[in-house]
Amino acid sequence: MGNNQDSSIIYLRGLHKCYWVGTMPFPALHGLDLDIAPGEFAVVAGRSGSGKSTLLNIVGALESADSGRVEVLGQDILGMNSEQRTRFRLHNIGFVFQAYNLIRVFTARENVAYVCQLQGKSRKESMEIANHWLHEVEIGHLGYRRPDQLSGGQQQRVAVARALASNPKLILADEPTANLDSMTGRHLIRLMHELNHRFGTTFLISSHDPDVKQAAGRLIKLADGQIVESWEEVPEPPQSLSASCPANHLPLGERVRNYIKTRKQSRARKRRGGNQRRS
Amino acid sequence: MNQSTSTVINTILTVALRNLLAHRRRTFLTIGAIAVGLASLIFLWGFNEGLHRNMLGNFQDAIIGSIQIHHQGFFQHPELSKAIANPQKVVEALRQADVSRYSMRLESFGLAASDITTQGVMLIGMDPLREGEVTQLGKRIGIGRFLAPEDEYTLILGATTANNLQVKLGDEVIIIGYDRFGAMLAESFTLIGIITSGEMGLDKGMAITTLATLQEMVDMTDRITTVVISSEEKRVPSLTAELEAALQGDELEVMPWYSMFPVMKEWVTLHNGFLYLFLGVVLFIVLAGELNTMLISMLERTREFGVLMAIGTTGYQIAGILLVEAVVIGIVGILSGILLGYVIVLFSSNYGIDLSILLGSTSRFYVDPLIYPHLKLDHLGITSGVILIASIFAGLYPAWRASMLQPVEAIRNG
């Protein structure tokens, strides 16, 4: 393991992945290099088909790469067999999916406790951990409900709690806000950001939601399976008019003025970030 | 098993059971199909067993008993010269084997003659008092009466023989026979009873008198050729072996009913074979039904399995979930089937199943028209065990398929 790997929680070099439909190749990742440091709140952005999900799947030991080097938490993912990958995921990685993907037959609390039980913790201890994380994601009072009795936002909070319950070092979230309305999505991102700050858990999120990109501590832009831009810092204020309206009670004119103001600030910060990288 | 392993197993069990309950209708339909299949098998086994017991019981009760003891070779070539040399030793062996229901006979061949014609008959001299403990021949006398101890030169004939001879109750019948030295004998008998059993073996070719009369006629006082024993069916093989051991070296043959008339045993085996065939058909239906349920369940939950795998559930654990579901469906189905089948057999064994409407004359096959089903534990065990194995097999393929899922593919395509 080199020095680069020592300081990275994710270390990717020369990553290639190509899907085949019959005899037609569909390249997904094209010689991608990436380092993510512990505690980062990184967002992978890009158009549909740019390779965001593939990247997360490979980092999450859910999928193999055709070639390249993948080290997560210092472990060579590609050298692991299926069983080892599953164990690795269970103990080191939390997942948040676009479609929540909770277990239908379990309550919210049981969904969160499930991973703890898989880790071998007793049911009582697992339930206590589940309660703790449900409170952290502000739905402690809904622990007894089943997924079909929860709203989309609430379900995604349960999914975040589940991802955190196994005490992972890394959380991978694939389009976590795509199925949520913008307000709920922003709340969720704020929550994930807060959890990242408080617990130091590394987040790698794929999204093309401007609100998510705006919250990123680091924005990695993908196009055609390659990183085309990577910023350490992006403007905090919202980028969209709809997302710029936390106070929807304001008159439209004032909301638009606020929006223009934040856009200007955003552009200025972005420019400053670009100059720093060039220098 | 350490605590963490048991926690994981409990979690897998919980997922499986919750899923079964989440799809109650499908689960209970599958359980119901297994239960009905098993219950019908249990009933058929019970009916079959009742039929066999009835038939074999009647067959043995009619005249042959459960076991017979003769001089070596007598059964194949019945001759008076092959009398049992030491009947007292046989009686002692029976006493030691705790057998109380036995009867002595003297058997030979002869001719029955009336004014009209003659008929070849098996001459049987039997003890009227002891015979009732061994066979139910007395109950098959349709016309007249059975032998009494004080009778002398009275005779019972089968209906067919009596008809052929054109004799009726009170008529004289001349019996012509041979003594043990081959000298011809003839005596006059009075017909006191006619067997009207409908069973060919009894109604034709048999002439029965008292043991004392036949012994006197053939000049073999206190000599016998046959000891007939009545025993519980399940004790017949062991009792045969026990008596064989006790009478070893005495030139005697100890023959259970199935050695004397193997065709009856073969018929029962063949009949059971049909039931095993039926068991195979029901098994196939159960297997196909449960496999269908498990496959649908697996395909419906492909996405869920993908997610479970992604968050740390191993392929073996996923397979475990489906196998547990299959086994639980199997076990609940089997228990329900046993209960249902038992109730049906219990009910029908109390009231009997009347086959007289379906069958004109069952007595020809030693079968009473009223059949009382009887459940044997080994049949129950075999059937339930095989259905449980079928249930496990029904879960194996979907479990294997689920365990081979790739998380990403499963989540994407599920």
Side-chain angles (χ1 to χ4, degrees):
Chain A
M1 191 186 293
N3 291 334
N4 284 339
Q5 294 103 301
D6 286 341
S7 55
S8 304
I9 198 164
I10 298 171
Y11 174 81
L12 311 176
R13 285 295 176 273
L15 203 58
H16 283 268
K17 177 73 182 177
C18 183
Y19 295 106
W20 291 84
V21 179
T23 52
M24 280 281 284
F26 288 89
L29 296 176
H30 203 68
L32 186 140
D33 298 336
L34 179 66
D35 292 280
I36 301 281
E40 277 198 61
F41 191 83
V43 173
V44 183
R47 287 182 179 180
S48 183
S50 60
K52 302 188 299 289
S53 296
T54 305
L55 173 64
L56 259 67
N57 288 339
I58 291 173
V59 170
L62 291 171
E63 207 169 352
S64 284
D66 295 337
S67 64
R69 188 160 180 79
V70 181
E71 285 180 14
V72 179
L73 294 156
Q75 305 251 5
D76 177 13
I77 299 287
L78 300 182
M80 292 179 181
N81 64 27
S82 168
E83 190 77 12
Q84 288 168 331
R85 287 180 188 200
T86 307
R87 298 273 170 218
F88 181 76
R89 290 196 296 270
L90 175 63
H91 293 282
N92 298 295
I93 303 176
F95 288 90
V96 179
F97 302 96
Q98 178 181 336
Y100 331 130
N101 288 335
L102 301 177
I103 306 169
R104 293 172 293 174
V105 293
F106 277 175
T107 62
R109 187 178 295 113
E110 286 167 335
N111 263 284
V112 179
Y114 178 77
V115 282
C116 303
Q117 288 178 288
L118 278 186
Q119 287 178 327
K121 295 186 178 85
S122 71
R123 183 175 165 79
K124 186 169 177 280
E125 187 187 355
S126 302
M127 287 300 175
E128 281 168 6
I129 294 171
N131 279 335
H132 165 76
W133 285 112
L134 285 173
H135 276 107
E136 288 292 343
V137 298
E138 299 159 4
I139 51 165
H141 59 296
L142 299 176
Y144 65 93
R145 287 199 188 172
R146 300 217 167 179
D148 57 2
Q149 297 167 322
L150 296 170
S151 69
Q154 288 166 339
Q155 286 190 58
Q156 200 60 303
R157 279 168 189 259
V158 177
V160 172
R162 178 175 69 181
L164 285 159
S166 61
N167 196 23
K169 313 244 178 343
L170 171 66
I171 287 184
L172 301 174
D174 191 5
E175 307 274 6
T177 59
N179 282 7
L180 304 176
D181 62 79
S182 58
M183 183 68 81
T184 312
R186 278 197 309 124
H187 282 160
L188 183 83
I189 289 301
R190 198 174 59 205
L191 175 77
M192 289 165 83
H193 208 190
E194 193 184 316
L195 293 167
N196 163 256
H197 275 295
R198 283 177 58 202
F199 301 104
T201 312
T202 310
F203 277 74
L204 181 60
I205 303 165
S206 85
S207 180
H208 51 251
D209 181 345
D211 292 337
V212 180
K213 288 191 263 183
Q214 173 193 311
R218 179 176 172 194
L219 184 65
I220 302 150
K221 228 174 172 186
L222 282 189
D224 299 326
Q226 286 180 309
I227 296 174
V228 289
E229 286 181 72
S230 179
W231 304 316
E232 289 294 329
E233 201 179 87
V234 291
E236 249 175 46
Q239 292 287 304
S240 69
L241 177 58
S242 63
S244 69
C245 308
N248 280 332
H249 61 276
L250 291 175
L252 181 63
E254 200 170 334
R255 283 160 61 192
V256 171
R257 272 196 296 278
N258 280 342
Y259 171 67
I260 292 168
K261 191 177 159 191
T262 53
R263 290 271 298 173
K264 277 181 181 169
Q265 287 169 345
S266 162
R267 276 199 299 274
R269 281 191 187 138
K270 203 166 161 182
R271 250 181 251 121
R272 274 205 303 277
N275 291 337
Q276 277 169 6
R277 274 195 308 282
R278 276 192 292 278
S279 64
Chain B
M1 194 189 302
N2 60 35
Q3 195 207 324
S4 63
T5 312
S6 72
T7 307
V8 173
I9 291 173
N10 283 341
T11 309
I12 298 301
L13 282 173
T14 309
V15 177
L17 295 178
R18 290 279 180 86
N19 185 65
L20 289 177
L21 288 174
H23 299 93
R24 281 186 185 82
R25 187 182 298 174
R26 187 168 62 200
T27 303
F28 289 119
L29 273 176
T30 313
I31 286 173
I34 293 173
V36 169
L38 179 60
S40 55
L41 270 176
I42 288 172
F43 171 71
L44 272 177
W45 274 121
F47 179 80
N48 204 41
E49 185 60 25
L51 183 75
H52 292 163
R53 279 176 170 239
N54 182 280
M55 189 184 74
L56 295 177
N58 286 345
F59 178 64
Q60 292 168 46
D61 283 351
I63 196 150
I64 69 159
S66 309
I67 300 170
Q68 289 190 4
I69 301 172
H70 325 104
H71 186 276
Q72 204 72 256
F74 178 83
F75 183 73
Q76 287 300 326
H77 304 286
E79 295 163 4
L80 288 174
S81 60
K82 291 175 185 164
I84 293 173
N86 188 357
Q88 277 314 309
K89 188 166 182 192
V90 176
V91 171
E92 181 57 26
L94 291 173
R95 196 185 61 76
Q96 284 192 354
D98 202 22
V99 175
S100 59
R101 293 191 295 152
Y102 65 91
S103 177
M104 310 286 194
R105 290 180 189 166
L106 187 63
E107 296 175 347
S108 177
F109 281 113
L111 272 178
S114 66
D115 294 341
I116 313 290
T117 185
T118 59
Q119 184 94 41
V121 289
M122 177 88 182
L123 275 174
I124 303 174
M126 53 176 62
D127 181 342
L129 291 177
R130 292 206 68 88
E131 193 64 30
E133 292 180 16
V134 180
T135 63
Q136 302 291 315
L137 194 61
K139 292 181 181 170
R140 287 177 164 75
I141 307 290
I143 302 164
R145 64 170 175 85
F146 190 58
L147 300 167
E150 63 278 10
D151 282 355
E152 286 182 355
Y153 294 94
T154 52
L155 193 69
I156 292 170
L157 291 175
T160 311
T161 309
N163 201 36
N164 289 346
L165 292 172
Q166 295 186 21
V167 289
K168 56 185 187 303
L169 286 187
D171 286 354
E172 182 188 47
V173 178
I174 304 296
I175 296 292
I176 303 159
Y178 298 86
D179 69 9
R180 62 187 151 143
F181 305 109
M184 192 179 280
L185 305 160
E187 287 288 355
S188 167
F189 286 77
T190 306
L191 186 64
I192 59 159
I194 296 174
I195 301 167
T196 54
S197 67
E199 294 153 13
M200 221 155 51
L202 290 179
D203 289 2
K204 191 177 178 187
M206 228 170 259
I208 300 165
T209 184
T210 63
L211 178 61
T213 300
L214 194 58
Q215 282 173 335
E216 188 179 274
M217 178 183 163
V218 298
D219 194 18
M220 287 179 71
T221 308
D222 297 334
R223 303 295 296 274
I224 56 164
T225 56
T226 308
V227 178
V228 185
I229 298 157
S230 175
S231 162
E232 277 182 28
E233 185 59 32
K234 62 183 177 191
R235 203 192 160 198
V236 171
S238 62
L239 182 58
T240 304
E242 196 177 337
L243 291 172
E244 269 175 339
L247 299 170
Q248 207 170 20
D250 288 322
E251 288 188 87
L252 294 172
E253 57 188 17
V254 182
M255 301 183 79
W257 64 267
Y258 45 82
S259 293
M260 292 185 280
F261 298 94
V263 69
M264 292 299 280
K265 179 92 173 173
E266 283 161 13
W267 192 86
V268 169
T269 308
L270 180 72
H271 205 219
N272 282 340
F274 283 123
L275 267 197
Y276 279 112
L277 202 66
F278 189 73
L279 173 66
V281 173
V282 172
L283 270 184
F284 179 76
I285 293 168
V286 166
L287 190 70
E290 197 178 342
L291 181 65
N292 182 47
T293 301
M294 296 309 301
L295 265 179
I296 290 173
S297 173
M298 181 245 149
L299 292 171
E300 265 183 10
R301 288 187 291 159
T302 299
R303 184 189 185 88
E304 186 176 306
F305 287 143
V307 173
L308 290 179
M309 284 174 144
I311 63 175
T313 314
T314 64
Y316 292 119
Q317 289 164 344
I318 295 288
I321 291 170
L322 280 161
L323 270 180
V324 166
E325 289 177 18
V327 170
V328 167
I329 285 177
I331 289 175
V332 177
I334 286 167
L335 292 177
S336 315
I338 288 175
L339 188 69
L340 184 62
Y342 181 74
V343 168
I344 295 171
V345 170
L346 195 69
F347 181 80
S348 54
S349 66
N350 274 336
Y351 296 98
I353 298 169
D354 193 352
L355 297 180
S356 56
I357 303 164
L358 298 171
L359 301 170
S361 169
T362 52
S363 59
R364 194 180 168 85
F365 307 104
Y366 297 96
V367 175
D368 294 332
L370 207 56
I371 304 294
Y372 294 92
H374 177 88
L375 198 53
K376 272 180 88 175
L377 281 180
D378 54 347
H379 287 158
L380 194 67
I382 288 170
T383 316
S384 306
V386 169
I387 288 188
L388 183 61
I389 291 169
S391 300
I392 294 169
F393 269 93
L396 275 180
Y397 175 64
W400 173 76
R401 270 192 65 170
S403 74
M404 300 304 284
L405 287 172
Q406 295 301 315
V408 174
E409 295 294 315
I411 294 169
R412 190 180 296 150
N413 303 327

